[in-house]
Amino acid sequence: MLDEQAKKTMLRKIPHGLYVCGVKDGDEVNGFTASWVMQASFQPPLVVNCVKNDSGSHAMIKSSQVFALSVLEEGQKSMAQTFFKPQRRVGNKFEEVEFYLGETGCPIITDSLGYVECRVVGAVEHGDHTVFVGEVIAAGVHREGNPLLLESTGWQYGG
Ligand SMILES: Cc1cc2nc3c(=O)[nH]c(=O)nc-3n(C[C@H](O)[C@H](O)[C@H](O)COP(=O)(O)O)c2cc1C
């Protein structure tokens, strides 16, 4: 039998970074704060990005099959805060955030450490998040710096 408390405690010990996942659908763009992200292959370069099924961004990734991950720097907690609010509630999250469109057409945060852009090559739709497997087709470094870690924010997303 699963020990619910042990499961929660141990899953919360998995370290995570914080990213803004930029998405698009046609001319529309959006972005959300993502933490369940990791590299999944060297060759081809793959990442997994686990996206909440009922989020606006999920529908947009399903439709466009692309996403971009902007890597936030330590100290950019307020940026992460801007992007964890749902678009359907707050409207355009990019209104006061400088961004540009990458090769995939997905928005990239200008004031971030850098980014990778991905084309979706697989998806596991089993739980309340879809595990999108993305092949990295473009990448860029904006500046040197240390990444923003979930653990440093005092927030929890997991368990
Ligand atoms: C610390 C933190 C980490 C998060 N990590 C993820 C994640 O990895 N995947 C995800 O789908 N949502 C994650 N979220 C939730 C989304 O940011 C949130 O559902 C957002 O409102 C979705 O926006 P949208 O509906 O405009 O797409 C996280 C939220 C917080 C506060």
Side-chain angles (χ1 to χ4, degrees):
M1 212 176 51
L2 177 62
D3 179 335
E4 283 291 333
Q5 193 51 52
K7 183 254 310 170
K8 185 187 253 185
T9 302
M10 296 321 294
L11 289 180
R12 287 186 173 179
K13 290 197 186 296
I14 299 175
H16 295 283
L18 281 173
Y19 313 88
V20 173
C21 178
V23 301
K24 71 153 196 189
D25 187 9
D27 288 342
E28 198 194 335
V29 296
N30 187 26
F32 70 99
T33 297
S35 54
W36 291 358
V37 167
M38 64 180 277
Q39 182 163 1
S41 162
F42 282 121
Q43 202 47 255
L46 301 179
V47 295
V48 290
N49 178 16
C50 307
V51 185
K52 208 158 161 267
N53 295 342
D54 63 3
S55 66
S57 298
H58 184 276
M60 293 174 77
I61 295 175
K62 260 199 106 155
S63 160
S64 68
Q65 297 287 294
V66 286
F67 60 85
L69 292 164
S70 293
V71 180
L72 298 180
E73 186 174 17
E74 60 184 358
Q76 288 189 308
K77 188 174 169 180
S78 67
M79 182 80 81
Q81 203 157 4
T82 299
F83 282 92
F84 71 50
K85 293 161 190 156
Q87 185 190 44
R88 66 174 167 267
R89 191 154 55 76
V90 297
N92 180 9
K93 292 181 240 182
F94 282 101
E95 201 150 273
E96 282 168 17
V97 176
E98 203 182 311
F99 71 99
Y100 62 94
L101 300 182
E103 280 179 33
T104 56
C106 293
I108 292 166
I109 305 282
T110 308
D111 183 20
S112 65
L113 293 179
Y115 67 91
V116 293
E117 288 187 88
C118 298
R119 179 174 59 85
V120 173
V121 295
V124 179
E125 297 182 67
H126 185 66
D128 52 18
H129 285 57
T130 297
V131 182
F132 286 108
V133 181
E135 180 165 348
V136 177
I137 56 169
V141 178
H142 295 149
R143 62 169 186 264
E144 284 304 311
N146 297 320
L148 176 63
L149 302 180
L150 176 61
E151 289 67 28
S152 76
T153 61
W155 300 333
Q156 296 281 3
Y157 196 80

